[in-house]
């Protein structure tokens, strides 16, 4: 049976790789590791190629040993050939050499040596998210109506009534939406999307308590309504309810592990709460899932600035500027608002 995660490591780091493998498998992630999965008499090279071609994620255990290993470079090249997501994990405070620095210039590193427990949890979360993305989301059952609606408006702005999927909704008044929602409810057939659109109208008008009330109604009817969970999280965040916001983003991510905007918005909540490392990690996952999410780059830059990591901040601002306008080549200054901009709805 094919394993989800292929561990690439230098032979001198076998003990460390085994420890990581055991920790991930303890969290329900099936791994392939050569010291265990290549059987006596089996061709080593052929087994490696088969395992890489069948995996969904390569976990590259980076250290001084792997920095100078020709074998791991071959495995990384094979990962590129088979279009695997490669997640580099540093187990030592070592800078990549020139070839690896080029290879991973655009990837988000995870430093296990700084905070093992926290970083391992974030690594497991990232693997689940990437796996869901590679698998195309829910592969065991057709999507629900709420999921189809959520996927349809993936680029909609959070709190924008048009996010409900009706292009004319943005111009509909709150009074009209309220009347529609009440009429449908009175008829015994709640119109979930009308209620959701009303919540968005309240959010757009910064009437967050009213917005939350409507999103609550939607979620009672459809607990897996991703847009409502995401936007209720943003409404709580606007009110300073960090724990409630994070809980909503957690629920949305649990339903849809490749939900990039929920990671980005949860990063905003962590950043506003002063937990910059957690924020940076969530922005990194969001960008791995959706590399063109410029708002996540800008918000991660802000988190880097607040940590005093100004070089990284300038790089992210420059990348976001280039993404929005390929002609822009100079870095932008950090946003001055106290709260990071929200990413879009589901």
């Amino acid at each position: 049976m094919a394993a989800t995660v292929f561990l690439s490591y230098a032979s001198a780091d076998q003990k460390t790789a085994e420890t990581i493998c055991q920790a991930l498998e303890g969290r329900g992630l099936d791994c392939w590791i050569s010291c265990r999965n290549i059987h006596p008499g089996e061709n080593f090279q052929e087994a490696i190629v088969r395992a890489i071609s069948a995996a969904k994620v390569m976990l590259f255990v980076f250290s001084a040993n792997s920095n100078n290993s020709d074998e791991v470079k071959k495995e990384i090249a094979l990962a590129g050939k088979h279009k695997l997501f490669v997640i580099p994990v540093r187990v030592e405070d070592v800078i990549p050499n020139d070839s690896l620095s080029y290879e991973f210039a655009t990837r988000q590193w995870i430093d296990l040596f700084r905070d093992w427990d926290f970083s391992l949890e974030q690594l497991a979360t990232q693997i689940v998210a990437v796996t869901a993305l590679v698998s195309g989301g829910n592969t065991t059952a057709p999507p629900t109506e709420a999921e189809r609606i959520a996927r349809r408006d993936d680029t909609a702005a959070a709190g924008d009534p048009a996010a409900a999927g009706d292009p004319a909704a943005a111009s509909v008044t709150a009074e009209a939406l309220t009347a529609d929602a009440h009429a449908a409810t009175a008829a015994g057939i709640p119109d979930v999307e009308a209620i959701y659109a009303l919540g968005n109208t309240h959010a757009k008008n910064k009437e967050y308590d009213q917005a939350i009330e409507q999103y609550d109604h939607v979620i009672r009817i459809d607990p897996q309504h991703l847009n409502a969970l995401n936007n209720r999280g943003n409404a709580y965040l606007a009110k300073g309810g960090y724990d409630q916001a994070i809980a909503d983003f957690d629920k949305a991510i649990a339903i849809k592990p490749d939900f990039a905007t929920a990671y980005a918005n949860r990063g905003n909540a962590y950043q506003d709460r002063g937990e910059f490392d957690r924020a940076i990690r969530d922005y990194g996952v969001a960008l791995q899932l959706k590399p063109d999410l410029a708002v996540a780059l800008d918000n991660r830059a802000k988190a880097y600035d607040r940590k005093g990591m100004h070089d990284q901040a300038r790089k992210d601002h420059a990348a976001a500027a280039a993404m929005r306008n390929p002609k822009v080549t100079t870095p932008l200054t950090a946003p001055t608002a106290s709260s990071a901009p929200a990413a879009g709805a589901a």
Side-chain angles (χ1 to χ4, degrees):
M1 182 176 176
T4 298
V5 182
F6 178 97
L7 274 87
S8 177
Y9 62 95
S11 57
D13 295 324
Q14 178 176 321
K15 291 293 185 184
T16 301
E18 287 178 320
T19 301
I20 295 171
C21 178
Q22 291 169 4
L24 292 176
E25 291 189 328
R27 289 163 171 78
L29 296 166
D30 53 318
C31 300
W32 192 98
I33 184 168
S34 59
C35 60
R36 178 190 67 190
N37 292 98
I38 297 181
H39 306 295
E42 189 175 5
N43 183 286
F44 188 88
Q45 286 80 12
E46 290 179 0
I48 293 283
V49 172
R50 284 197 302 270
I52 291 175
S53 64
K56 294 183 174 67
V57 177
M58 173 179 283
L59 185 63
F60 173 42
V61 181
F62 180 74
S63 68
N65 296 315
S66 56
N67 210 12
N68 299 300
S69 170
D70 291 333
E71 294 304 313
V72 298
K73 291 173 185 174
K74 293 176 185 176
E75 291 173 357
I76 291 168
L78 281 171
K81 177 181 177 182
H82 291 284
K83 295 181 169 49
L84 261 69
F85 271 87
V86 179
I87 302 176
V89 174
R90 291 202 308 168
V91 295
E92 298 174 357
D93 192 3
V94 178
I95 302 300
N97 61 25
D98 288 344
S99 61
L100 290 177
S101 180
Y102 175 81
E103 182 71 29
F104 297 117
T106 61
R107 301 183 189 271
Q108 178 72 17
W109 293 88
I110 291 179
D111 289 337
L112 281 180
F113 64 88
R114 297 191 188 280
D115 184 336
W116 168 266
D117 291 329
F118 168 68
S119 296
L120 194 67
E121 287 298 329
Q122 293 297 313
L123 172 61
T125 297
Q126 187 164 348
I127 290 171
V128 170
V130 169
T131 301
L133 180 65
V134 172
S135 301
N138 184 353
T139 58
T140 59
T144 65
E145 179 62 23
E147 288 171 331
R148 285 194 290 272
I149 292 166
R151 291 172 187 173
R152 182 178 66 210
D153 51 17
D154 188 51
T155 59
D160 185 344
D166 179 2
S171 62
V172 177
T173 65
E175 290 79 6
L177 288 169
T178 301
D180 288 346
H182 287 174
T185 302
I189 310 172
D191 186 338
V192 173
E193 295 311 313
I195 300 166
Y196 170 68
L198 177 57
N200 286 341
T201 298
H202 285 306
K204 185 176 182 180
N205 293 332
K206 299 184 179 180
E207 299 165 347
Y208 299 119
D209 288 330
Q210 294 95 319
I212 290 168
E213 182 180 353
Q214 298 307 318
Y215 295 141
D216 285 345
H217 193 175
V218 172
I219 293 164
R220 281 195 297 271
I221 298 168
D222 181 2
Q224 294 195 335
H225 196 295
L226 293 171
N227 280 348
L229 284 165
N230 182 66
N231 288 3
R232 188 176 70 175
N234 283 332
Y236 278 130
L237 183 55
K239 285 168 53 68
Y242 306 130
D243 292 343
Q244 293 161 302
I246 289 168
D248 272 351
F249 299 136
D250 285 345
K251 290 174 187 175
I253 290 167
I255 295 167
K256 190 174 189 292
D258 61 341
F259 191 177
T261 51
Y263 283 103
N265 289 333
R266 190 174 68 179
N268 295 343
Y270 282 132
Q271 178 164 189
D272 280 2
R273 201 161 71 173
E275 299 181 48
F276 303 127
D277 288 332
R278 287 180 180 270
I280 289 167
R281 197 74 69 205
D282 268 356
Y283 295 139
V285 176
L287 288 163
Q288 184 136 21
L289 294 168
K290 194 172 182 182
D292 62 347
L293 196 59
V295 67
L297 277 169
D298 276 330
N299 291 345
R300 188 173 68 177
K302 182 178 179 182
Y304 277 137
D305 263 332
R306 295 172 75 179
K307 277 177 60 71
M309 302 171 68
H310 304 302
D311 286 343
Q312 292 92 328
R314 282 191 289 271
K315 289 177 183 177
D316 273 0
H317 279 310
M323 194 177 294
R324 293 187 176 101
N325 182 355
K327 295 180 180 179
V328 174
T329 57
T330 55
L332 300 178
T333 56
T336 57
S338 60
S339 294

